[in-house]
Amino acid sequence: MSLRVVFMGTPDFSVPTLMEIVGQGHDVVACYCQPPRPAGRGMDVKKSPVHEAAESFGIPVFTPKSLKGEDEQAAFAALEADVAVVVAYGLLLPKAILEAPEYGCLNLHASMLPRWRGAAPINRAIMAGDTETAVQVMRMEEGLDTGPVCMSETLAIGVNMTAGELHDQLAPLGADLMVRALAALSRGALGEQAQGEDGVTYAAKLSKQETRIDWSKPAAEVHNHIRGLSPFPGAWCEMPLGGKAERVKILRSALAEGTGTPGTVIATGEAPVVACGEGAVRLVEVQRAGKKPMSGADFLRGASLSDGTVLN
C-alpha cells in the first residue's frame, strides 16, 4: 500500500532513502531540509543534497529554521501525512511534529542503538575502534535517539575503513531498510523493541578542536582518529615544509612497525612512518593545503621529509 510520506533530511546520506521511497511508489508530499547555506571557496549559497534531489522529483521543499512555532506546526499537520521519515535532518522535532502523522515519525540512524546516539555516529564508531555498527529504523520519541528500534541491519567495520567508506556503505543499506520498514508499516506488521539501558553512548558533533593529531597516543588510537575523520573534516598535523610549518591533512593511515619519540618520522620508504606513544603509523594518503589528496609515496617525492623530522 502506498503511504503519504513527509521526508525530512539534509545531507548526502539521506538521498538514497528519499530515492528508494519515491521509487517504491510512495507519495512524498513534502521534503523538509536545512536552509541553503554558504559553501565552497566562493561561499555561494547552496541548497542541500536532499533539497536538490527533492526538486528533481518535483516535491515541494520546506526549509524552516525551527519547528517550534505554532504556524510551522500547523503547516506540517496540514500535510496529513501517514508517516514522516527522518534521515539526518538536523533539527529536533517537537512533540506536536512527532504526533502529527497518523503513524508517527520513523528515523534512520547509523549506529547500533543505544550505542552512539546523537549527531556523528559513523565518525564516533570508527574513532572508538568499533568493529561493527548498524543502520536501524527507530520510532521517534522526544528524547535524543531514545525510541524503540523497529528494524536493523549490521555491518562490519574493517580495520582500515574510513568514515567516508562506512558512510557510503551504510547509506544504501539504510535506504533499503527504510523501504522495508514502510512496507511492513503499510500492512500493520512493523514491530518494535525498546532500547536497553546498558551501553548508552553519545556521538557528539565533531569539533575543530579535536581534529589535530596527538602523536603521544598509542598508534591504534591515532589510526582510528585519522580514519574516523576522513575525508571530512580531516585529521591534521603540522609539518616543517619549505622552511615553515604547514598544516597537512592525513586521510589514510596504517599501523606500522617501529618506535621512537612521538611525532618523529622514523622511516621514509614507501610512505612516511611516524612514531606514536606506542608503536607507529604509516601515512598512506595525505593532503596539503590547496592541493588534491596524494599517496604518501607521491608526497615524499615533493616534500623534503627525512628521518628524524618532528611533526606537531
Side-chain angles (χ1 to χ4, degrees):
M1 183 181 75
S2 174
L3 294 170
R4 189 173 171 87
V5 178
V6 171
F7 187 84
M8 311 179 81
T10 300
D12 287 326
F13 184 81
S14 316
V15 173
T17 303
L18 172 60
M19 295 179 69
E20 281 292 322
I21 291 172
V22 172
Q24 291 296 317
H26 295 289
D27 182 14
V28 182
V29 296
C31 272
Y32 278 71
C33 313
Q34 288 287 297
R37 291 191 171 95
R41 289 189 179 180
M43 296 301 285
D44 295 327
V45 175
K46 187 177 180 180
K47 297 174 181 177
S48 71
V50 167
H51 193 148
E52 293 183 342
E55 287 188 336
S56 73
F57 287 121
I59 301 169
V61 177
F62 300 93
T63 59
K65 293 182 179 179
S66 172
L67 292 169
K68 295 179 180 179
E70 291 184 3
D71 290 346
E72 286 293 349
Q73 293 174 6
F76 185 89
L79 294 169
E80 297 182 339
D82 294 319
V83 63
V85 171
V86 184
V87 187
Y89 175 37
L91 285 181
L92 292 176
L93 304 189
K95 184 177 181 181
I97 298 292
L98 293 171
E99 294 180 347
E102 182 177 355
Y103 299 115
C105 301
L106 298 180
N107 175 245
L108 182 68
H109 189 74
S111 83
M112 196 175 294
L113 293 166
R115 186 163 177 79
W116 303 127
R117 294 173 178 171
I122 293 175
N123 306 89
R124 296 297 177 187
I126 291 180
M127 292 168 77
D130 291 0
T131 58
E132 188 178 46
T133 190
V135 278
Q136 297 187 324
V137 173
M138 172 194 68
R139 185 171 295 283
M140 296 182 72
E141 300 176 340
E142 287 188 85
L144 179 62
D145 298 329
T146 58
V149 174
C150 304
M151 296 182 75
S152 180
E153 286 282 355
T154 59
L155 183 71
I157 301 176
V159 293
N160 292 317
M161 183 179 283
T162 66
E165 291 168 338
L166 183 56
H167 168 285
D168 291 348
Q169 290 193 33
L170 289 175
L173 187 65
D176 177 71
L177 187 69
M178 181 58 77
V179 294
R180 286 192 278 134
L182 292 179
L185 179 68
S186 69
R187 60 178 185 268
L190 185 64
E192 298 178 3
Q193 183 172 351
Q195 295 184 36
E197 294 299 321
D198 296 333
V200 174
T201 57
Y202 289 92
K205 185 178 179 180
L206 299 173
S207 67
K208 291 182 180 179
Q209 290 71 26
E210 63 183 318
T211 55
R212 187 168 193 161
I213 298 170
D214 182 354
W215 299 109
S216 69
K217 292 185 176 181
E221 291 186 29
V222 172
H223 176 57
N224 292 340
H225 182 248
I226 289 169
R227 64 195 186 98
L229 295 175
S230 178
F232 182 83
W236 61 276
C237 66
E238 287 187 343
M239 299 185 183
L241 302 173
K244 63 178 182 178
E246 180 180 323
R247 180 182 293 201
V248 178
K249 286 186 179 182
I250 314 301
L251 300 179
R252 289 183 185 275
S253 59
L255 297 178
E257 298 292 331
T259 59
T261 303
T264 302
V265 176
I266 57 174
T268 53
E270 295 181 1
V273 176
V274 183
C276 302
E278 295 175 12
V281 295
R282 178 175 291 104
L283 309 187
V284 177
E285 185 177 22
V286 305
Q287 184 176 17
R288 299 178 70 169
K291 299 185 181 296
K292 294 181 179 180
M294 66 183 78
S295 69
D298 287 342
F299 173 70
L300 280 178
R301 282 192 281 270
S304 56
L305 205 65
S306 58
D307 290 8
T309 301
V310 178
L311 312 184
N312 294 307

